[in-house]
Each structure stands twice: as C-alpha cells, then as structure tokens.
Amino acid sequence: MARVGSGFETIDIARNLVEHGQFANPFSRLVTGPTAISAPIYPAFLALLIWIFGYSVPFALAINGITLAVHSLHAALLPSVSQLFFRDRGPGIWAAVVTIVLPVFLFFPQYEIMCVATGLMIFCLAASRLALRDGIAPAFACGIGAGLLALLNPASVSVSVLWLAYILWRHRPPRAVRFACCAALAAAVTLTPWTWRNYRQFHSLFFVRDNLGLELRIANNDIAEASFALNEANGCHRLLHPGNPDAEGRALQALGEVEYYRRCGAIAFDWIRRHPARFWTLTAARFRTFWFPDADDTPWHAHSIAFVTIAAFMEFVLLARRRDPIVVFVGGALFAYPLLYYFVQVDPRYRAPILWIPLLAGGYLLSSLTRRADTPQTRDSHLISGAVCRK
C-alpha cells in the first residue's frame, strides 16, 4: 500500500479543507495560508474521503483501492479508444497487455495523474460522439468536460483542446464554428469559480495553478539536475523548495504565495539568461529523461518506458507512411503535452497522464507485426517447411 501521509501537497490541502474549511497550507511543516499550488478537484476529493473515513488507515485503504480501480479502468478503456483511433480494438488490447505485464505506471494515490489519464480517454470517447450531434447542449457538455479536466490538471488542456480541434477538422460537423464557440464558453464558465476565488484571494490572474515560477527555479540553477530524484539526492530540492522550514519557507510566509512564486520565476529567467548553454544542456537532458528515464532506482520501469517510447515512434512513422489522419492528433499531443515539462525537473508522475497515447501507438505497431506474421503467405511457408521436414 502506497504511503498517503503528510508531506504531499494534495494530502495536506485536503486535511486543511476538512479541519479548517480552507484550501490552504500545502506544506505540513509550515503555515503559509491560502494556496493555488494544486488544481482544486483532487484535493477536494481527498478531503471528502478524509471527512468520511477520518485521517486514518481506512482512508489510506480507500484511496489506494480507488486508485487501483482507476488503473484497471484505464486499461479496460484502451481497446475502446483504439477502436476510435484506428477502427480496430487490437492495438488497444495489446496496449492493455503491456500495462498489465510491464511496470509502465508507478502507483501514486497521492496525486491525480491516473484520474487525468483515464478522464482524457473518456473525454475523447464522449466528445467524438457529442461533436457529431447538432445543438448547443453537446458543445456545452464538451466544454464542461474540458474545464473539469483542467481543474483536475491544467496540462490536460493541451490534449482536450487538440482532440476537439481534430474531430472538428476530421469530421466537419454542421455548425462547427458554433460548436467550438459554445464549448469554449462552457469551459470558461466551468473555470470561472476557481479563477474568481484565486483573484479575490491573491489579487492576481493565472490559469488554475500559480507555482510555475517555483518549478522553473528549482529546475534551472547552478546545482540543478534533470530529474526530481537527482535534485532530491544533490540537495537542490531541499535548498530551494519552500516546503522545508528554512529561509525559503520563511520567505514564502513573508511575501505571500503569488509574490514569492513570481520572484522565483524572475530568478529562474535571470539565471537562464546568464547561463544559456547550461540551460539548453539541462533541457536536452530533461527531454531525454522524460522519454527514456534513468534506470538507477526503478530499472524495470525505466526499461518499460523506453520500450513504449521506441514502439510509439516506430508506429508514428508507420501511421505517417499510411497517411492515417489520426497521426495528426497523436503527433500533436505527444509534441504539445510534454513541452512545459522539458523546462522543469522530470518526475514519473508528469508522464502518466499522456502515456496512454504512446501505449496505443505501441499497441498499433505490435498489432501490425502480429498480423504480418499471420498472413496467408507466412502460413503457407510454415506448411511447406513442415512438409519438407516430414520428408
């Protein structure tokens, strides 16, 4: 069972919601006040579980069990999404087998990552049907879905918006422009309560979360390395993260969250400006680590991700040669989603929300290879070989 105690921002925010009714104090060792370091939906869900079960072993069992169920649903949906993408369930079945046999996902019940991945697949399945229906209600439903996913994890926008654009381009439904406008309006309305709360609380406008400056500073400095694990090992994270009750923690308390993160961003951009060669070296290392993680601590996971990455690249080339339209979405999503993560420290949980796309791509390649191995010519050659051997 995964550890779900204090020390994780989502857990600490959830406890504050239950105990004090505030979305605040994400660092258990510091009282820093209201926060927007996390998107709101998952901490609110954790707070509901804590309210039901208490901050206790039953809560830990519940969130571990729910996360396991989401992992299972994720695998179960892969064939349906494969049918949508490739008009064939085979690649999805292969992708599901890979997720069962290989440790491509690490278990993180503290975070929303598998909910985001599964939610994006459900969104793709639902939006592909809704976009073909006439009327305002289907468009609003798509917009609300995209908005809720953004409130779960704002990075999901790079996939949900791209998928809506793809199906409108590919299928050209009637009144496509009206559909897009209504969906955008519904998404904006869905985001408005959280945005208004943040503006009233911090007197600043930002998209869902406010901690980008902090992440940029931790990832771009004189001692930074490419990954979260390496920055933990070399002391960079401990030195610069405000969750530790030292100078950075006191600075966060004194300045307030938005101003502190703004100053962190300014420090990061100044360092990048003065060290361009080192910045691009780190960026290249983060790019490599995102798709080919280091095998030091979790070798089987690292090798599994490398296999999925290579298979997905080969499949992308195969789809491009066949001029399959889905290559536009697959390529666009795999390009757009990780862009931000090339500029901050790499962590396995950042990869999980998008991993279903390269998994399906790898499944498509495996499915194509097995079909080629099972062609009539191959079967005939096996029969001829068998006859020669018998003689």
Side-chain angles (χ1 to χ4, degrees):
M1 184 174 70
R3 185 168 66 92
V4 289
S6 294
F8 301 99
E9 288 93 341
T10 52
I11 300 289
D12 291 324
I13 293 170
R15 292 184 65 187
N16 270 274
L17 277 169
V18 174
E19 295 170 7
H20 307 292
Q22 291 184 321
F23 200 94
N25 301 327
F27 310 120
S28 56
R29 289 181 285 179
L30 290 169
V31 177
T32 55
T35 185
I37 195 173
S38 175
I41 288 183
Y42 199 69
F45 172 66
L46 293 176
L48 175 63
L49 293 180
I50 293 174
W51 180 74
I52 294 172
F53 296 104
Y55 190 59
S56 60
V57 172
F59 160 71
L61 292 173
I63 190 56
N64 276 276
I66 291 169
T67 304
L68 183 60
V70 174
H71 274 267
S72 300
L73 179 59
H74 179 277
L77 286 172
L78 286 169
S80 297
V81 180
S82 176
Q83 179 69 39
L84 174 64
F85 283 10
F86 309 121
R87 300 165 298 282
D88 181 7
R89 295 175 65 86
I93 294 172
W94 275 107
V97 169
V98 170
T99 65
I100 294 169
V101 174
L102 299 180
V104 293
F105 292 108
L106 300 180
F107 197 67
F108 286 113
Q110 311 91 338
Y111 299 107
E112 76 287 343
I113 52 176
M114 288 308 298
C115 296
V116 179
T118 306
L120 282 170
M121 288 198 289
I122 293 172
F123 178 82
C124 289
L125 291 168
S128 64
R129 294 177 177 269
L130 292 170
L132 301 181
R133 298 180 183 177
D134 195 13
I136 294 176
F140 269 80
C142 287
I144 291 170
L148 290 174
L149 284 169
L151 292 174
L152 190 60
N153 187 321
S156 65
V157 170
S158 60
V159 179
S160 59
V161 171
L162 182 63
W163 178 250
L164 286 177
Y166 170 77
I167 58 179
L168 292 177
W169 164 74
R170 181 76 179 100
H171 299 290
R172 303 185 187 278
R175 300 185 179 89
V177 174
R178 187 185 74 175
F179 182 96
C181 292
C182 290
L185 177 61
V189 170
T190 304
L191 291 167
T192 295
W194 178 248
T195 304
W196 178 243
R197 174 264 182 189
N198 291 335
Y199 181 75
R200 289 189 62 189
Q201 189 68 63
F202 303 111
H203 307 290
S204 179
L205 289 174
F206 47 85
F207 184 64
V208 183
R209 300 177 63 176
D210 64 351
N211 65 321
L212 179 58
L214 172 65
E215 297 299 330
L216 287 171
R217 185 190 179 193
I218 292 175
N220 300 281
N221 59 76
D222 290 338
I223 63 172
E225 298 291 345
S227 69
F228 177 87
L230 291 175
N231 284 332
E232 280 275 288
N234 70 6
C236 175
H237 194 271
R238 182 176 62 256
L239 180 66
L240 297 177
H241 196 279
N244 300 302
D246 51 16
E248 293 301 322
R250 291 192 296 272
L252 174 58
Q253 289 176 312
L255 294 171
E257 189 170 275
V258 170
E259 177 61 18
Y260 173 78
Y261 292 154
R262 187 194 67 77
R263 294 192 184 190
C264 286
I267 293 171
F269 283 117
D270 181 65
W271 185 90
I272 291 169
R273 180 182 58 80
R274 291 184 292 105
H275 303 84
R278 172 64 174 156
F279 167 72
W280 287 114
T281 299
L282 280 170
T283 301
R286 290 185 289 247
F287 176 87
R288 191 269 305 168
T289 306
F290 190 93
W291 296 111
F292 296 93
D294 295 325
D296 297 337
D297 297 326
T298 55
W300 281 107
H301 171 73
H303 298 327
S304 300
I305 295 298
F307 165 76
V308 171
T309 299
I310 293 170
F313 175 77
M314 295 174 66
E315 177 274 342
F316 181 82
V317 174
L318 183 62
L319 284 174
R321 292 184 61 185
R322 293 178 179 178
R323 298 184 179 180
D324 193 316
I326 195 64
V327 76
V328 174
F329 171 73
V330 171
L334 294 182
F335 171 80
Y337 173 85
L339 273 179
L340 177 62
Y341 296 116
Y342 300 150
F343 302 107
V344 300
Q345 57 186 349
V346 175
D347 190 78
R349 56 194 172 95
Y350 299 157
R351 190 187 306 111
I354 197 67
L355 197 54
W356 56 278
I357 295 180
L359 277 168
L360 283 171
Y364 185 88
L365 176 68
L366 293 172
S367 181
S368 299
L369 291 175
T370 54
R371 284 203 182 101
R372 181 172 295 182
D374 198 37
T375 58
Q377 293 86 349
T378 305
R379 290 196 300 269
D380 291 345
S381 65
H382 288 167
L383 290 173
I384 292 171
S385 299
V388 170
C389 289
R390 285 193 296 272
K391 288 182 181 180

